Amino acid sequence: MEVKEMAKFVPRGIIPAMATPTDEWGNINEGALRKLVNHLIDGGVHGLFPIGSQGEFFALTFEQKKKVIEIVIDETRGRVPIYAGTAALTTKEAIETTKMARDLGVAAVSILTPFFTNLSQKEVIQFYLDIARAVPDLPVLLYSNPARTKVPITVETVKELAAVDNIVGIKDSSGDMTLTAEYIRVTREMDFSVLAGRDTLIYATLCYGGTGSITATANVDPSLVVEIYEAFMAGDHRRALEAQYRLAPLRLAFELGTFPVVIKEALNMIGIEAGQAIRPVGPLTEENRARLRQVLQEMGIVKA
């Protein structure tokens, strides 16, 4: 296994897991996607992450994924790094998607554990090794979301993969702060970054030594999420924690509908035409749409 010998790309800061503006059948709205890119960069984010779970990677074709990445790179114009999601059910498809993203010019990729197949940890390790070796010049982030994939990434697996030269970090969406803390503890002497994937735990992850967050809520109010990170880095823990408290109701509102519809509906409410979630995910009920609007009003994002 290749051991790190030099300083590597460091995933850091607030990196929105971008929604993909579409109609209900998955046709991409390029104008809205470009508007979203600028909304996020204007909000002070430190990177952009298209084609993740919030970006409905599971509902897009290979060519659509390529188109989204091309648009995001073009509109970003080098202002922040692009982290592309390149998840797939098979190693072959994940490698093909990762190579496509690399060739388009992304700074790094983040790859979710394969879902449905309920892999062993040995198989998880081999999956990531195969991809990392196929793109040795590209930084790779692990992505743990066991609630959706049913495939955890254990502390031991993270420690082993963190020694690989171009595996530079992990997005942890487990929601288990003990697990997040252990990821950080066992890799703290390595060139490896742990980023919060659960938006209610950004401040806590930073306190433990994490380097930032890949966050869905930042689509809607990027400046608030950025405030958590920037205040923390400036040593103002009280302001960072207060920003985390203000963000919490939006993350908790995810329960109002089937993922990932809530962020798309919230974007529509603030004037970015994210459209509908791709079928079979349906829209919010009128009652829950009103509840979401109330959350955004109380956060000061939309007017009453």
Side-chain angles (χ1 to χ4, degrees):
M1 196 172 289
E2 308 88 350
V3 178
K4 292 180 170 67
E5 297 179 350
M6 56 182 290
K8 301 298 178 184
F9 175 84
V10 179
R12 54 169 290 276
I14 300 304
I15 306 156
M18 298 178 66
T20 303
T22 63
D23 65 17
E24 62 185 313
W25 300 110
N27 298 303
I28 295 165
N29 182 335
E30 180 174 341
L33 180 55
R34 290 182 181 276
K35 185 175 181 180
L36 178 59
V37 167
N38 289 298
H39 166 68
L40 297 174
I41 294 175
D42 290 347
V45 303
H46 307 94
L48 296 175
F49 177 34
I51 317 297
S53 302
Q54 180 63 60
E56 297 171 283
F57 79 89
F58 47 84
L60 301 175
T61 67
F62 183 88
E63 288 304 318
Q64 286 178 314
K65 293 175 184 180
K66 182 178 180 181
K67 179 178 179 180
V68 169
I69 295 170
E70 286 175 334
I71 292 168
V72 171
I73 289 174
D74 181 67
E75 191 63 31
T76 298
R77 300 190 303 278
R79 290 176 285 174
V80 296
I82 308 298
Y83 303 68
T86 58
L89 200 53
T90 66
T91 302
K92 178 182 178 182
E93 185 180 353
I95 289 173
E96 289 173 349
T97 308
T98 299
K99 286 182 174 179
M100 175 268 287
R102 177 200 61 189
D103 293 346
L104 291 176
V106 302
V109 293
S110 175
I111 306 167
L112 185 65
T113 54
F115 40 97
F116 183 76
T117 47
N118 197 23
L119 300 180
S120 69
Q121 289 302 292
K122 181 178 180 180
E123 290 165 329
V124 169
I125 290 169
Q126 192 61 53
F127 172 73
Y128 283 114
L129 284 177
D130 287 343
I131 297 169
R133 288 167 176 164
V135 288
D137 54 336
L138 184 68
V140 172
L141 281 79
L142 316 176
Y143 178 5
S144 174
N145 194 342
R148 300 202 179 279
T149 66
K150 310 304 179 186
V151 178
I153 303 181
T154 67
V155 174
E156 293 76 17
T157 293
V158 167
K159 185 175 182 180
E160 181 170 345
L161 289 172
V164 177
D165 189 60
N166 61 320
I167 295 181
V168 299
I170 183 170
K171 175 187 177 182
D172 178 24
S173 295
S174 69
D176 182 344
M177 199 59 228
T178 298
L179 182 62
T180 305
E182 280 298 283
Y183 287 161
I184 294 167
R185 183 182 70 83
V186 302
T187 62
R188 67 192 187 279
E189 302 300 329
M190 309 168 82
D191 292 327
F192 191 81
S193 298
V194 177
L195 297 103
R198 186 67 63 91
D199 296 17
T200 47
L201 298 177
I202 299 171
Y203 174 75
T205 300
L206 292 171
C207 285
Y208 264 97
T211 62
S213 178
I214 297 175
T215 155
T217 54
N219 281 278
V220 182
D221 194 351
S223 61
L224 175 59
V225 190
V226 167
E227 185 177 356
I228 300 171
Y229 178 82
E230 297 289 0
F232 182 89
M233 296 303 291
D236 191 343
H237 283 242
R238 177 174 294 184
R239 185 161 67 91
L241 183 56
E242 285 300 322
Q244 178 73 84
Y245 287 153
R246 298 202 312 274
L247 179 67
L250 179 57
R251 176 59 182 82
L252 297 175
F254 280 22
E255 302 303 319
L256 295 176
T258 301
F259 181 84
V261 69
V262 169
I263 289 299
K264 296 191 88 168
E265 296 247 17
L267 284 169
N268 292 330
M269 291 177 188
I270 67 169
I272 295 175
E273 296 176 0
Q276 300 182 44
I278 301 170
R279 290 189 177 191
V281 177
L284 295 181
T285 64
E286 287 302 320
E287 178 184 0
N288 283 349
R289 188 175 289 113
R291 291 171 64 186
L292 176 60
R293 181 174 290 278
Q294 183 177 0
V295 168
L296 298 182
Q297 289 170 348
E298 291 173 353
M299 292 177 68
I301 301 171
V302 299
K303 296 180 180 179

